[in-house]
Amino acid sequence: MAKSFILADNLAKELECAVCLEQYKEPKVLPCLHSFCKTCLAGLLNKQGKVWRINCPACRISVEIPQGKVDSLPANFFLNNLQSMIALHGDSDRSNLECDNCDSGDPPVNRCTTCCHFLCNFCTAGHKRGRNTKTHRLLSLEEAKEEGPIAVARPTFCKEHEGEMLKLFCETCDEAICRDCTIVKHRCFFEGQGKCVEILSETKTKASTLKEALDGVSEMKRNVQSHAEQTVQEVINCFQELTTHLNTRREELIHDIEVIKKSELKSLEIQQEELETALGSVKSSVEFTERALENGSEVEILNMRKQMSCRLQELNSAEWKLEPCADDAMKFKADKQLKQEVATFGVITNAATHAGASTVTMGHGSEGVMYNTLCGQSVEFTIIAKEQNGRKRADGGDIFEVEICTEAAEIVFNDSSKDCGNGTYNFCFTPYCRNMQYKLSVKLNGCHVNGSPFTWFNEIWKLCSEVHNEHDKTEHSGYIQLTTDWHDSKILLF
């Protein structure tokens, strides 16, 4: 019994209307197959011109409601049945089930599978005694619980023929009908649901396809997040490396400045010392001579004249470097082009090579078309890398896996292609097997490119010296014989 209560509570949570967040009351089904309470849908009615519409709260699809009558929408029968099951499994105090046959409000004790009615004790007794109902099959509530939702399904009655249940379906009118409808206006009908089951089977495959697509989108979201973080780190690392190089260069330039400064200052200091010494000598000689002339007698001056004259003449004839031996022309010259390049340095792009859009050409042929080859003749293949939108890539960097094998599955070529750096990749192959079919597989990140795997046939051309013509018995020389499986097929060159 406890399990029944738990089941009822769990189902009750699942049967809440997404609009009012309460148990469904007369649930109606929109064309998009989402269900809501009848009153909730009535509150969502919106008149656009002369047309009444409802925007589905679940999928936002706009649905036209004829004449604004929500009651014209089909009832969700299985939600009603599940609600009946919840009431059936609930305890007697919480159950809202009542007898369907009378207005007493008494709780039901049995279920008539023929009339699809719940019956109280009094109505059960009358059901068993009635001439038209005594053969009906009655189920106890416990038996109805075991049979599940089918046991509590409520019949749908025809709106035109009172009391007649809808049991048939008119395919022409695309609506359920009763037995009397087949006599009056519906002639083409059937009782099965095969067509719906067939469409359901097809729709289930769509669900699987959408699930795979959704998984792919979810994985791509994770990849975008991961690659974005990786790209951010690459930008940080790149600029950190550039910053390191700039700092190193800065220190080198500062060191050069210090070297030049020390050299020039040393030269200027030596010059300064020399000039200071010369200036001191000039000042002292001038001072000595002026004092001697002012304070000495003529005899004393004459005795010192030669010595003073020689010194002064020596100073007058001396040559000193009067201009500074160094200058202050030291400047820093920056490369303006580097500044301009830094302003636009680096590009973030989300373009990537898509395997399914990339193509392969053989020689100078068309993309994706393979031609028969000649034994021993080298063939060049070109892989054209493209983005998902079909636009050719302008740069390289992709790694295409190339494999060529014979029809016996013997691998005769397994190598990487040459990156041309402009979105194309080349590789060459020389077929040697006689009259053999080859298969070429080209993959990018494990995915085949457009048209891969490709197949082509290799033929043998044999150069002959002469041939006998059976009709005119004459001989010809210098012709080429095309041999396929060694059958004589000849092309004569005159």
Side-chain angles (χ1 to χ4, degrees):
M1 183 64 70
K3 291 184 178 179
S4 297
F5 294 153
I6 295 173
L7 175 63
D9 289 338
N10 291 337
L11 285 176
K13 294 177 182 178
E14 296 295 329
L15 296 177
E16 287 184 355
C17 174
V19 177
C20 63
L21 302 179
E22 296 180 358
Q23 290 291 314
Y24 284 109
K25 299 179 183 67
E26 297 184 77
K28 294 290 185 177
V29 184
L30 293 174
C32 57
L33 301 185
H34 291 123
S35 300
F36 305 95
C37 297
K38 176 182 174 180
T39 54
C40 293
L41 290 176
L44 296 174
L45 274 173
N46 179 26
K47 192 172 185 180
Q48 299 177 1
K50 296 182 179 180
V51 180
W52 289 91
R53 291 186 174 277
I54 290 179
N55 290 328
C56 176
C59 63
R60 304 302 179 187
I61 289 179
S62 180
V63 177
E64 182 179 349
I65 307 299
Q67 300 178 355
K69 295 181 179 179
V70 177
D71 197 46
S72 63
L73 294 171
N76 192 324
F77 60 88
F78 64 84
L79 285 181
N80 287 329
N81 294 343
L82 285 176
Q83 287 180 324
S84 297
M85 284 300 299
I86 290 175
L88 190 61
H89 282 272
D91 58 34
S92 57
D93 295 334
R94 298 190 304 174
S95 177
N96 58 1
L97 285 180
E98 296 180 355
C99 179
D100 293 326
N101 200 50
C102 66
D103 297 329
S104 64
D106 294 338
V109 294
N110 290 294
R111 168 83 173 178
C112 176
T113 59
T114 305
C115 301
C116 299
H117 287 165
F118 283 106
L119 303 174
C120 62
N121 271 324
F122 183 79
C123 291
T124 299
H127 221 67
K128 291 179 179 179
R129 289 196 304 269
R131 291 180 179 177
N132 296 328
T133 58
K134 63 182 180 179
T135 59
H136 291 186
R137 178 174 174 246
L138 297 179
L139 295 177
S140 66
L141 295 187
E142 292 301 322
E143 291 173 334
K145 291 178 183 179
E146 293 178 1
E147 286 201 11
I150 298 298
V152 296
R154 298 180 180 274
T156 304
F157 294 96
C158 181
K159 295 180 180 180
E160 297 185 12
H161 304 97
E162 186 177 356
E164 290 294 331
M165 288 188 291
L166 300 177
K167 295 182 178 181
L168 305 173
F169 185 81
C170 178
E171 191 172 21
T172 305
C173 302
D174 196 28
E175 64 176 325
I177 58 175
C178 69
R179 182 183 57 190
D180 292 352
C181 289
T182 63
I183 302 173
V184 180
K185 62 178 181 179
H186 297 278
R187 299 293 183 180
C188 180
F189 62 90
F190 66 95
E191 300 186 37
Q193 52 184 0
K195 186 175 181 180
C196 187
V197 173
E198 181 181 345
I199 297 176
L200 175 62
S201 177
E202 181 181 354
T203 307
K204 283 184 177 180
T205 62
K206 297 290 185 182
S208 176
T209 303
L210 289 172
K211 179 61 170 61
E212 292 178 1
L214 186 60
D215 292 341
V217 171
S218 299
E219 183 180 359
M220 186 56 67
K221 285 178 63 179
R222 292 190 295 270
N223 291 342
V224 168
Q225 179 68 25
S226 175
H227 289 174
E229 295 173 357
Q230 180 180 347
T231 306
V232 168
Q233 190 59 47
E234 289 175 357
V235 170
I236 293 174
N237 294 340
C238 178
F239 276 83
Q240 284 180 344
E241 184 179 357
L242 290 174
T243 302
T244 301
H245 288 304
L246 287 173
N247 289 338
T248 301
R249 182 58 181 161
R250 180 191 62 188
E251 296 302 322
E252 291 176 352
L253 291 173
I254 292 175
H255 177 266
D256 292 344
I257 293 171
E258 291 295 326
V259 171
I260 295 173
K261 181 189 74 173
K262 288 180 180 180
S263 176
E264 292 188 350
L265 287 177
K266 185 175 181 180
S267 299
L268 290 171
E269 287 173 357
I270 293 173
Q271 183 183 15
Q272 184 180 11
E273 290 178 0
E274 291 177 351
L275 292 175
E276 286 177 350
T277 301
L279 178 62
S281 297
V282 169
K283 283 184 176 181
S284 63
S285 297
V286 168
E287 183 181 357
F288 180 87
T289 303
E290 287 178 346
R291 286 184 179 182
L293 293 175
E294 289 177 1
N295 300 315
S297 64
E298 291 185 1
V299 175
E300 292 174 335
I301 294 172
L302 291 173
N303 288 333
M304 291 291 299
R305 184 186 71 174
K306 182 178 180 180
Q307 185 175 354
M308 289 187 297
S309 297
C310 288
R311 179 57 181 167
L312 292 176
Q313 287 178 356
E314 180 183 351
L315 293 173
N316 290 336
S317 61
E319 293 183 0
W320 296 288
K321 187 173 180 58
L322 303 179
E323 295 293 330
C325 62
D327 54 47
D328 58 352
M330 185 166 44
K331 293 182 180 180
F332 170 63
K333 293 183 178 181
D335 189 351
K336 294 182 179 180
Q337 183 178 358
L338 178 60
K339 290 183 179 180
Q340 295 173 353
E341 291 178 353
V342 168
T344 58
F345 177 77
V347 176
I348 303 299
T349 175
N350 61 349
T353 302
H354 189 266
S358 301
T359 58
V360 178
T361 61
M362 174 188 278
H364 298 286
S366 302
E367 295 183 15
V369 179
M370 297 292 112
Y371 306 93
N372 290 353
T373 56
L374 300 178
C375 184
Q377 181 179 1
S378 178
V379 183
E380 182 181 26
F381 294 86
T382 302
I383 303 172
I384 303 174
K386 296 183 179 181
E387 300 174 15
Q388 189 171 11
N389 58 9
R391 183 170 52 189
K392 179 180 175 296
R393 293 301 308 277
D395 53 3
D398 296 308
I399 300 177
F400 286 91
E401 305 167 14
V402 181
E403 180 180 283
I404 300 177
C405 61
T406 64
E407 55 189 357
E410 178 187 358
I411 298 176
V412 293
F413 184 90
N414 187 4
D415 201 354
S416 58
S417 55
K418 177 185 176 183
D419 189 348
C420 299
N422 59 355
T424 62
Y425 303 78
N426 296 333
F427 64 94
C428 294
F429 171 69
T430 303
Y432 288 106
C433 296
R434 297 179 176 179
N435 303 319
M436 178 70 68
Q437 179 173 285
Y438 287 94
K439 182 171 73 172
L440 167 64
S441 172
V442 181
K443 295 182 179 180
L444 174 65
N445 299 327
C447 298
H448 283 281
V449 301
N450 187 19
S452 177
F454 307 92
T455 59
W456 81 91
F457 196 80
N458 184 56
E459 300 173 337
I460 300 175
W461 288 62
K462 185 173 68 175
L463 182 63
C464 300
S465 59
E466 62 179 15
V467 63
H468 293 278
N469 191 308
E470 297 179 355
H471 298 289
D472 55 14
K473 304 300 181 179
T474 58
E475 295 185 358
H476 300 273
S477 61
Y479 76 98
I480 296 177
Q481 179 180 2
L482 173 62
T483 61
T484 305
D485 293 335
W486 300 102
H487 294 303
D488 291 333
S489 300
K490 305 171 185 177
I491 301 176
L492 300 181
L493 300 181
F494 299 98

